[in-house]
Amino acid sequence: MVASAIFITDLTGKPLISRNYRGDIPLTSAIEKFASYLLEVEDDTKKPVFHVDSSGEFLRMEDVGCTGVGGETFVYVQHSNLYLCGVTCKNSNVALMLTYLYQLTSLFQDYFTTLNEESIRDNFVIIYELLDETMDHGLPQSLDSTILRQFITQEGNRMADDSKNKPPVALTNAVSWRAEGIKHKKNEIFLDVVEKLNLLVAANGTVLHSEINGAVKMKSFLSGMPELKLGLNDKLVFEAAGRNSGGQASRSGKSVELEDIKFHQCVRLARFENDRTISFIPPDGEFDLMTYRLDTHVKPLIWVEAVVEPHRGSRIEYMIKTRSQFKSRSVANNVEISIPVPPDVDSPSFKSSVGTVTYLPDKDCVVWTIKQFHGGREYLMRAHFGLPSISREEADGNKSSGGGTGGGGGGGGGMDTSWKKPIGVKFEIPYFTVSGIQVRYLKIIERSGYQALPWVRYITANGDYQLRMA
């Protein structure tokens, strides 16, 4: 059992809509206790989970312990100008209650686009239907909007025909994420391996942090109920195959050790844990099959060096050099290099060997855009600015290379360097992954035996990619 009741209130605790599933708590009294909690407890001490004992005292969960204190436990989340709250008088799974509330929020957003007090008041009928279908006697059911839309329409009207009034098989079937009878004129499946590189490089060129966050994204347009098997060059797969074939498989190609793997619910986890086979019946349409992370040392794909030099006459000059450190057959598209500049510069002028340069005064930075950056190339860009707020003495005393040194901005002790934020880089490299992950095979099996076309694409893009200035 998860929740005895679910209710939605405004920010003052005034109830908008509620549903009592078990009848084992006085719902009106519970809503009043929740409103009292919102009003009486300070914001910095409020918790998403709290207990109210039989005397009406608010208790933290760690104070309840296993002493058998009576009363109700409240679990709530805030969205926009609403609170969505679940309440129970039993020893329920709080994590599952929170998950249900967050997924219920996403479901309402999918139906109403925006979820706020006004949309709740405008959609009472459909909300009651969704509350009834997503929980049964305190136990959560399907919260997949794709399935629910088959028998709960946008207007909240049910079909008059009793045969159409029955819930779809997917609700009671083991494959709750896919409806039966799906047909497509052309059977195709698109698979994208997308990796984002998080990188932080110190001013001396040392890589302080590097991390790869990857996702295997799919768009499925397959008829019927197909069974898919996906093979990756996962290190544990290669090691298992090598043990079974005298080590030949582990020497047949490069392997990648994936970490923090998370799968879509369609993947058979037991089989993956047993032999590392990714076997699944896909949902129809777009979904993330899996996500993963690699905490590994990565050489910067796009290297940027900056020499900043203040000059006599209250002006400052930049010399930016960038170099692509990946193979020449790869191309980085839509590269944007953001270089911070002092907030009071003026009269910008630029000269670059490739691309375009734009000064963005509202962001205090210069953006150097290179539409296509081939591997193994190096480019230069120079920028000149006037600095009207810097005195001639400060400019003379702070000429430097590689970003220079600087003290505080006051007392003439040196040029203020607080504007020297890290250089940011944006890019996208198709047909390339940093980790080296590869799709070894994608098998599609369906009872009717139709032929399907699988399409595989690899993309590497920037995540939080920063290089500190000297």
Side-chain angles (χ1 to χ4, degrees):
M1 197 277 289
V2 176
S4 297
I6 298 291
F7 56 86
I8 302 175
T9 74
D10 62 15
L11 294 181
T12 64
K14 180 181 178 182
L16 301 176
I17 196 168
S18 61
R19 184 71 171 86
N20 196 338
Y21 294 102
R22 296 178 57 86
D24 54 359
I25 62 166
L27 184 55
T28 303
S29 173
I31 295 175
E32 290 175 354
K33 291 175 182 177
F34 180 71
S36 298
Y37 179 82
L38 296 177
L39 294 174
E40 296 176 15
V41 178
E42 297 292 335
D43 288 342
D44 56 350
T45 59
K46 286 178 182 175
K47 305 293 182 183
V49 183
F50 66 92
H51 189 86
V52 182
D53 64 13
S54 53
S55 66
E57 182 180 355
F58 301 122
L59 302 176
R60 297 177 301 176
M61 295 309 298
E62 55 265 34
D63 296 332
V64 176
C66 300
T67 58
V69 178
E72 297 94 22
T73 299
F74 293 79
V75 179
Y76 70 94
V77 298
Q78 182 181 353
H79 180 85
S80 185
N81 57 353
L82 299 173
Y83 286 113
L84 288 82
C85 183
V87 58
T88 179
C89 60
K90 304 292 184 180
N91 185 18
S92 298
N93 188 330
V94 171
L96 187 55
M97 290 177 69
L98 278 170
T99 301
Y100 172 83
L101 292 174
Y102 278 116
Q103 291 190 359
L104 187 65
T105 300
S106 298
L107 179 64
F108 287 160
Q109 286 180 287
D110 188 62
Y111 266 85
F112 316 135
T113 306
T114 57
L115 177 60
N116 52 35
E117 186 175 343
E118 183 179 356
S119 62
I120 293 292
R121 295 185 186 278
D122 291 343
N123 293 280
F124 274 136
V125 174
I126 192 171
I127 289 174
Y128 274 118
E129 290 194 61
L130 291 171
L131 289 174
D132 285 340
E133 297 297 342
T134 57
M135 187 169 285
D136 182 18
H137 199 58
L139 295 171
Q141 306 298 308
S142 174
L143 285 104
D144 190 325
S145 62
T146 304
I147 302 300
L148 290 170
R149 282 186 183 278
Q150 294 183 40
F151 64 103
I152 299 181
T153 67
Q154 187 68 24
E155 294 76 26
N157 298 321
R158 292 180 180 272
M159 302 295 291
D161 187 351
D162 288 340
S163 63
K164 294 181 179 179
N165 215 9
K166 297 178 181 179
V169 178
L171 277 182
T172 54
N173 192 11
V175 188
S176 61
W177 53 89
R178 184 180 180 90
E180 291 193 349
I182 295 174
K183 292 183 179 179
H184 292 283
K185 290 183 178 180
K186 189 175 183 180
N187 292 291
E188 295 179 303
I189 187 158
F190 300 86
L191 187 150
D192 286 346
V193 180
V194 181
E195 291 189 344
K196 293 193 174 181
L197 175 60
N198 297 331
L199 190 75
L200 179 61
V201 181
N204 61 3
T206 304
V207 176
L208 301 177
H209 171 71
S210 64
E211 178 186 64
I212 302 168
N213 290 322
V216 177
K217 298 176 178 288
M218 280 192 163
K219 285 184 181 179
S220 173
F221 304 103
L222 300 175
S223 303
M225 198 67 70
E227 173 89 16
L228 273 66
K229 293 181 181 179
L230 175 67
L232 303 174
N233 59 332
D234 180 44
K235 183 177 181 181
L236 293 181
V237 174
F238 272 51
E239 289 178 350
R243 287 194 295 270
N244 296 333
S245 60
Q248 295 179 2
S250 60
R251 293 192 297 267
S252 61
K254 181 182 177 183
S255 62
V256 178
E257 188 170 5
L258 305 178
E259 305 170 21
D260 293 345
I261 301 175
K262 295 180 182 178
F263 287 112
H264 187 274
Q265 61 175 326
C266 66
V267 176
R268 295 183 175 90
L269 295 180
R271 183 161 185 182
F272 178 78
E273 292 172 358
N274 182 46
D275 58 10
R276 305 293 282 191
T277 298
I278 303 174
S279 175
F280 59 99
I281 297 174
D284 195 49
E286 189 172 353
F287 66 101
D288 284 357
L289 178 67
M290 64 178 285
T291 60
Y292 59 90
R293 183 184 65 85
L294 282 87
D295 190 5
T296 181
H297 181 80
V298 178
K299 180 177 68 174
L301 298 178
I302 296 179
W303 178 258
V304 182
E305 296 179 29
V307 176
V308 185
E309 191 172 2
H311 287 278
R312 182 186 300 273
S314 299
R315 61 188 178 88
I316 189 169
E317 180 181 355
Y318 284 72
M319 198 278 285
I320 309 296
K321 181 167 66 174
T322 181
R323 182 172 66 252
S324 55
Q325 301 188 138
F326 47 86
K327 293 181 179 179
S328 58
R329 65 171 177 265
S330 296
V331 180
N333 295 326
N334 302 317
V335 177
E336 290 186 5
I337 302 172
S338 300
I339 305 106
V341 298
D344 52 356
V345 296
D346 60 14
S347 306
S349 65
F350 310 108
K351 185 177 181 180
S352 62
S353 57
V354 69
T356 58
V357 187
T358 307
Y359 171 48
L360 302 179
D362 56 328
K363 296 182 179 180
D364 295 328
C365 73
V366 170
V367 177
W368 184 10
T369 303
I370 304 172
K371 189 158 185 163
Q372 288 193 318
F373 201 155
H374 290 263
R377 299 290 181 85
E378 183 174 293
Y379 300 116
L380 293 175
M381 187 270 287
R382 290 185 179 273
H384 296 264
F385 294 93
L387 277 174
S389 64
I390 295 183
S391 67
R392 195 177 294 263
E393 291 79 8
E394 285 177 329
D396 289 345
N398 286 280
K399 184 177 288 189
S400 61
S401 177
T405 60
M415 180 179 172
D416 180 15
T417 58
S418 60
W419 54 270
K420 285 188 178 178
K421 300 175 183 177
I423 296 171
V425 184
K426 295 181 180 180
F427 59 86
E428 186 174 282
I429 308 176
Y431 316 111
F432 173 81
T433 57
V434 190
S435 67
I437 189 171
Q438 292 180 353
V439 175
R440 295 170 53 231
Y441 61 84
L442 179 60
K443 297 179 181 178
I444 305 170
I445 305 169
E446 214 278 330
R447 284 181 299 179
S448 63
Y450 62 71
Q451 295 296 315
L453 298 173
W455 303 91
V456 180
R457 181 173 62 169
Y458 301 93
I459 301 172
T460 291
N462 65 285
D464 186 11
Y465 193 107
Q466 297 182 337
L467 301 98
R468 289 178 178 171
M469 296 177 65

